[in-house]
Amino acid sequence: MKKYSVFAIAREAMRGHKGWEAQWRSPEPKKEYDVIIVGAGGHGLGTAYYLAKEHGITNIAVLEKGWLGGGNTGRNTTIIRSNYLYDESAGIYDHALKLWDGLSQDLNYNVMYSPRGVMMLAHNIHDVQVFKRHIHANRLNGVDNEWLTPEQAKAYCPPLNIAAHARYPVMGAALQRRGGTARHDAVAWGYARAASARGVDIIQNCEVTGIKRAANGAVTGVETSKGFIGAKKVGVVASGHSSVLMNMAGVRMPLESYPLQALVSEPVKPVVPCVVMSNTVHAYISQSDKGELVIGAGTDQYISYSQTGGLHILEHTLDAICEMFPIFTRMKMLRSWGGIVDVTPDRSPILAKTPVKGLYVNCGWGTGGFKATPGSADVFAHTIARDEPHKINAPFTLERFRTGRLIDEAAAAAVAH
Amino acid sequence: MLLIRCPYCEEERPELEFRNAGEAHVARPADIAAISDEDFEAFFFIRSNPKGIIYERWRHIHGCARFFNAVRDTVSDKFVMTYKAGEPKPKKLPGVAK
Ligand SMILES: Cc1cc2nc3c(=O)[nH]c(=O)nc-3n(C[C@H](O)[C@H](O)[C@H](O)COP(=O)(O)OP(=O)(O)OC[C@H]3O[C@@H](n4cnc5c(N)ncnc54)[C@H](O)[C@@H]3O)c2cc1C
Ligand SMILES: [Zn+2]
């Protein structure tokens, strides 16, 4: 792998940019690997990268049915924050936030992590109480999160409407200054390039259609559209399709898959300096470096794998955006799209060993797993390499739905990203 | 937006009139306090989440307000049929292979 640097740019500028190499190799699959990761989203590619980097396992294939990063990783609104309610959540989301900080240097790839602050608006007494509770819980866990008055919120994000007569009055806000955004594609590409350089085979257009097990139940490999590929360890990291894959190994999951949509506006000059979220009215907004407003909507109410959602969901979100930011009422929306998110009953992920020997699963990130990408990948690699969870992901088991030890962010996070 | 046929009102109405109510034909155990943790997990948390044909409950909340069941393809989101609550899971599906 040739290192990216200012010198590389200068060198290539002199010779007509003829020397850039492909960012990752595209090999044909081998017959057998030590580890197979199913799903080349950020979490899967990151897992392969940390397996190679931290655990010295390099005989790895990442199998992807479409193109890498084409799942939810490339479809999300890229909000990054760690101010969840529970200790377990603080553990994993803040671990991720710490890794975001050095990720561009680590990968030698600019993932454009921008800690511009994530502001969550409180519109009613309930919101105020819940957010203040979060702020206190976060403080005990060493996670930054602070309370803003409506005036302070407006000072932090000037286009915000805080008028008392507003349809959704702003009664205050919780601000996590270390929160922000990153470039979603770059996260997938950066991990892919760095993993490939360490010997990981990334195989696109290769759909896993079956999980094979020996007589003793242990995993022996996967059936794919490119034939059988052997491995004693298989990690499923397939977001909306995780329950479909786990079913192939006979494991039924506490998951439901819903469409979640987002949209972007025409590009304009910098106007939204931070991320603004409103759980209560289902709207999330930030501005990309290209100038587009990036707006996230809510989920549809029914299970679907269609990667499209209803138009009324987007309209509902835009209604809310226009109330909160009257300045945007005449903006044009350019594109909208949907992803399929895998939602658990307690809205916390599952990152764990499974009842099947050699089968591991990292799923259930639902509407909000982009922010966790580096942390999730790091501890999942640990879980696969050592065949036991890292202490950070130890609570995120599959068994918690039997024992009752839920990590109930459902009330706390609802549809939040 | 989906167009959904309410089997009670006997007409197609826009999705906005309806509320999805999850997987159909999940029977609540008669004596829920007596069942094992495994059975409770299976009843309460585990879902089939199929890619393909799903049997699901809907409620015509802004119409007749009644619950009913539907068969839908989760890849195309097309409804195969809807039927009244309490009716058995249909064995033959109109227009579906297998
Ligand atoms: C519209 C939208 C907005 C969102 N906004 C945010 C946000 O602001 N902040 C946030 O933190 N999170 C957000 N999320 C959630 C976030 O995108 C996901 O939690 C996260 O990206 C999941 O990453 P992943 O790598 O696990 O999954 P993915 O990126 O979906 O990767 C899984 C891959 O598995 C592949 N796959 C599936 N089945 C198979 C098979 N049989 N064989 C081979 N490959 C297979 C898929 O093609 C896919 O590429 C949003 C999601 C959506 C849809
Ligand atoms: Zn009706």
Side-chain angles (χ1 to χ4, degrees):
Chain A
M1 180 178 92
K2 285 192 195 146
K3 209 165 177 304
Y4 291 156
S5 67
V6 63
F7 304 108
I9 295 175
R11 188 185 63 229
E12 291 306 325
M14 314 259 268
R15 54 176 177 178
H17 294 283
K18 299 242 165 62
W20 297 115
E21 54 187 16
Q23 297 196 6
W24 49 81
R25 298 168 295 110
S26 296
E28 282 304 306
K30 292 189 250 172
K31 283 206 170 55
E32 177 142 18
Y33 291 90
D34 294 340
V35 178
I36 287 176
I37 302 292
V38 185
H43 291 239
L45 292 164
T47 303
Y49 170 70
Y50 293 115
L51 274 169
K53 183 184 172 220
E54 307 288 346
H55 305 279
I57 301 173
T58 56
N59 187 24
I60 305 173
V62 183
L63 308 181
E64 167 56 50
K65 75 176 162 74
W67 66 96
L68 70 84
N72 293 345
T73 297
R75 293 164 189 266
N76 83 95
T77 48
T78 76
I79 299 172
I80 296 173
R81 62 185 182 92
S82 67
N83 50 356
Y84 285 71
L85 183 60
Y86 291 102
D87 297 351
E88 296 87 344
S89 313
I92 191 146
Y93 291 106
D94 214 51
H95 179 52
L97 201 50
K98 286 177 188 133
L99 288 175
W100 277 115
D101 213 10
L103 195 60
S104 294
Q105 286 74 16
D106 185 28
L107 298 178
N108 180 230
Y109 206 98
N110 189 358
V111 300
M112 296 165 77
Y113 166 55
S114 158
R116 59 184 68 178
V118 172
M119 199 165 81
M120 301 169 82
L121 302 179
H123 299 293
N124 51 45
I125 302 285
H126 174 77
D127 285 353
V128 172
Q129 291 171 345
V130 168
F131 288 176
K132 288 194 171 168
R133 182 179 174 209
H134 272 66
I135 288 170
H136 293 309
N138 292 154
R139 182 165 38 92
L140 294 177
N141 279 314
V143 174
D144 74 300
N145 197 10
E146 65 197 81
W147 180 253
L148 302 184
T149 63
E151 293 71 30
Q152 288 170 322
K154 173 123 182 123
Y156 199 74
C157 185
L160 186 64
N161 177 20
I162 58 163
H165 65 264
R167 172 83 175 78
Y168 307 113
V170 175
M171 298 178 72
L175 172 67
Q176 185 173 33
R177 292 181 191 269
R178 287 188 306 150
T181 58
R183 173 83 202 281
H184 50 9
D185 292 328
V187 173
W189 298 339
Y191 274 124
R193 172 169 169 269
S196 177
R198 288 178 183 268
V200 173
D201 285 357
I202 300 164
I203 299 161
Q204 306 185 67
N205 297 312
C206 179
E207 178 167 2
V208 172
T209 53
I211 295 179
K212 288 284 164 230
R213 298 167 64 181
N216 68 1
V219 167
T220 58
V222 296
E223 287 298 347
T224 78
S225 51
K226 295 185 187 245
F228 176 80
I229 308 176
K232 293 203 171 56
K233 289 185 172 183
V234 173
V236 170
V237 200
S239 70
H241 280 77
S242 296
S243 60
V244 174
L245 279 145
M246 294 301 286
N247 266 329
M248 295 174 188
V251 182
R252 282 169 57 83
M253 298 293 285
L255 290 175
E256 290 186 306
S257 297
Y258 299 103
L260 180 67
Q261 299 178 79
L263 67 168
V264 292
S265 73
E266 58 190 326
V268 290
K269 286 187 177 171
V271 57
V272 184
C274 59
V275 179
V276 180
M277 311 179 52
S278 171
N279 291 355
T280 303
V281 297
H282 284 226
Y284 315 90
I285 187 166
S286 65
Q287 190 171 15
S288 75
D289 293 328
K290 280 188 283 181
E292 305 150 320
L293 300 179
V294 180
I295 298 170
T299 57
D300 281 89
Q301 54 171 335
Y302 49 83
I303 288 174
S304 174
Y305 290 82
S306 62
Q307 285 194 333
T308 55
L311 186 61
H312 61 289
I313 304 279
L314 295 178
E315 283 176 354
H316 176 71
T317 292
L318 290 176
D319 285 351
I321 294 286
C322 291
E323 294 289 347
M324 294 188 303
F325 300 96
I327 187 178
F328 297 146
T329 44
R330 294 171 66 187
M331 293 269 292
K332 294 183 180 64
M333 294 299 139
L334 290 192
R335 289 179 287 125
S336 72
W337 62 89
I340 299 301
V341 297
D342 49 332
V343 177
T344 58
D346 63 359
R347 302 295 189 278
S348 286
I350 299 165
L351 259 144
K353 296 174 68 169
T354 72
V356 176
K357 191 172 160 38
L359 185 64
Y360 307 83
V361 69
N362 180 351
C363 68
W365 289 101
T367 58
F370 176 73
K371 62 178 69 65
T373 304
S376 146
D378 181 37
V379 296
F380 194 51
H382 177 110
T383 307
I384 294 176
R386 310 271 181 93
D387 194 36
E388 63 180 26
H390 188 281
K391 72 174 187 316
I392 289 177
N393 67 310
F396 295 91
T397 62
L398 196 46
E399 288 75 31
R400 71 179 187 267
F401 299 98
R402 184 173 315 154
T403 61
R405 287 204 72 87
L406 304 183
I407 303 159
D408 197 358
E409 294 287 348
V415 297
H417 302 310
Chain B
M1 187 182 309
L2 306 179
L3 269 181
I4 307 175
R5 185 183 162 82
C6 172
Y8 295 101
C9 300
E10 298 188 336
E11 61 176 330
E12 276 194 338
R13 306 292 300 165
E15 184 194 332
L16 286 181
E17 292 185 10
F18 297 84
R19 185 74 44 82
N20 185 286
E23 188 168 342
H25 303 291
V26 179
R28 185 182 166 86
D31 183 1
I32 201 154
I35 67 173
S36 68
D37 288 352
E38 281 78 5
D39 289 345
F40 184 78
E41 179 193 24
F43 158 68
F44 203 68
F45 291 125
I46 304 292
R47 292 292 175 263
S48 7
N49 198 29
K51 184 175 183 176
I53 296 296
I54 189 170
Y55 296 81
E56 64 188 358
R57 301 193 309 160
W58 286 88
R59 187 174 181 202
H60 194 183
I61 190 154
H62 299 302
C64 64
R66 299 181 78 170
F67 281 92
F68 61 92
N69 291 331
V71 187
R72 187 171 54 88
D73 184 336
T74 61
V75 178
S76 64
D77 288 339
K78 283 204 177 111
F79 283 92
V80 178
M81 62 185 290
T82 57
Y83 52 102
K84 292 178 180 166
E87 286 177 12
K89 200 170 176 172
K91 290 221 173 63
K92 273 216 172 111
L93 299 179
V96 177
K98 278 196 282 190

